[in-house]
Amino acid sequence: MDDSGSIPQAREGETAAPADPLAYEGVWRFTVPAVEESVPQARRAVRDLLGRRQVPATQDLVYSLLLIVSELVTNSVRHAALLSPEVAVEVAVGREWVRVAVEDDHPYRPKALEADFGQTGGRGLLLVREVTREAGGVCDVEHTSTGGKVIWAALPLGAPARPL
């Protein structure tokens, strides 16, 4: 990709040389048991990974990613643990974006609930969707080939500052 984010096109008679990967680019995956204690462990692991790889992320972006990981792992622990004793967390970093994903073996696709201020819970996916949108990113849920699901959010590294 070039600086504009688009894939450069080769001119006639030329071949496009792939850009060298940056030191922070890559994909990392780990699993945690589907228990409450795994939520802060997953959050710390993602934070430490971003720091070790020296990903050029703003503090707001890191906080957003950690909130997303916390909410998604919490949902898997609370709603999928019977069918999924482990939860997989994946962090993929490109030149211009960071993608976090949480996968479990539960087959049902969750829906982001609308805000119901009378409830004390059930707003995690709504929060993930809104944090992702405010950062200029995208999120989705996909089925896996093994019958489970993966919920992911991709945020741009140049994420706009969140309004106060």
Side-chain angles (χ1 to χ4, degrees):
M1 283 194 208
D2 63 15
D3 290 335
S4 69
S6 62
I7 299 172
Q9 300 296 317
R11 295 185 195 144
E12 191 173 324
E14 293 181 3
T15 57
D20 291 331
L22 298 172
Y24 61 81
E25 288 183 281
V27 178
W28 298 270
R29 184 178 175 91
F30 61 91
T31 60
V32 294
V35 296
E36 290 289 332
E37 294 81 14
S38 294
V39 176
Q41 291 172 352
R43 189 174 49 243
R44 275 192 303 274
V46 170
R47 184 193 63 222
D48 292 349
L49 172 69
L50 296 172
R52 275 194 322 274
R53 299 304 302 181
Q54 297 180 340
V55 175
T58 65
Q59 190 173 28
D60 280 348
L61 178 61
V62 172
Y63 288 152
S64 294
L65 290 166
L66 298 180
L67 176 63
I68 291 167
V69 167
S70 292
E71 291 297 331
L72 296 181
V73 173
T74 296
N75 281 354
S76 287
V77 166
R78 288 188 180 160
H79 304 295
L82 287 176
L83 297 176
S84 186
E86 284 191 330
V87 176
V89 179
E90 183 175 280
V91 179
V93 183
R95 286 181 183 267
E96 301 172 359
W97 50 267
V98 179
R99 179 182 184 262
V100 291
V102 174
E103 180 180 333
D104 63 49
D105 293 330
H106 199 285
Y108 295 114
R109 181 183 174 109
K111 298 193 184 305
L113 301 176
E114 295 303 317
D116 178 353
F117 298 107
Q119 288 184 325
T120 58
R123 294 189 205 100
L125 290 177
L126 178 64
L127 182 61
V128 167
R129 186 180 69 196
E130 290 305 310
V131 167
T132 301
R133 184 187 59 79
E134 284 181 17
V138 293
C139 59
D140 202 1
V141 180
E142 298 172 0
H143 289 286
T144 65
S145 61
T146 59
K149 67 181 167 304
V150 60
I151 305 174
W152 58 267
L155 282 61
L157 280 174
R162 294 172 67 186
L164 298 176

